[in-house]
C-alpha cells in the first residue's frame, strides 16, 4: 500500500519542474520539522504531567504519614 503511494508520488514528481521539486522538498522538510516539534512538546507535557502526579502522591503520602504520627501520639498519651 505505502509502496504504491510512493510510486505514484514519484511518477507525479517526474512531471514537475526543477523549482517545483525544490519547493515540494522545502514543504516536506517544514512539515517534518513541525511534526518533530509537536512530538517533542508532547513528550515534555507528558513528563510534566507525570512529575505533577508524583508530587501529588508524595504530598498525599506525607499527609497520611502525619495523620498516622498524630494517632500514634494520641494513643501513647
Amino acid at each position: 500500500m505505502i509502496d504504491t503511494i510512493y510510486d505514484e508520488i514519484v511518477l507525479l514528481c517526474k512531471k514537475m519542474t526543477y523549482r517545483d521539486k525544490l519547493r515540494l522538498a522545502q514543504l516536506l522538510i517544514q512539515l517534518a520539522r513541525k511534526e518533530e516539534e509537536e512530538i517533542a512538546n508532547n513528550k515534555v507535557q507528558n513528563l510534566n504531567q507525570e512529575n505533577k502526579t508524583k508530587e501529588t502522591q508524595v504530598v498525599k503520602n506525607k499527609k497520611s504519614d502525619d495523620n498516622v504520627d498524630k494517632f500514634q501520639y494520641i494513643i501513647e498519651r
Side-chain angles (χ1 to χ4, degrees), residues 26-72:
Q26 282 180 321
L27 291 172
L28 290 172
I29 290 169
Q30 288 173 352
L31 287 172
R33 285 184 177 163
K34 182 177 180 181
E35 184 177 338
E36 186 177 39
E37 287 177 13
E38 289 172 356
I39 290 170
N41 287 338
N42 287 340
K43 285 182 181 179
V44 168
Q45 288 175 353
N46 288 341
L47 287 175
N48 288 340
Q49 188 73 20
E50 288 175 15
N51 288 339
K52 286 180 183 178
T53 302
K54 288 178 184 177
E55 288 173 5
T56 303
Q57 289 173 347
V58 167
V59 168
K60 285 180 181 177
N61 289 340
K62 181 163 176 36
K63 285 181 181 178
S64 158
D65 290 344
D66 288 346
N67 287 338
V68 169
D69 290 342
K70 288 176 186 175
F71 286 125
Q72 286 177 348

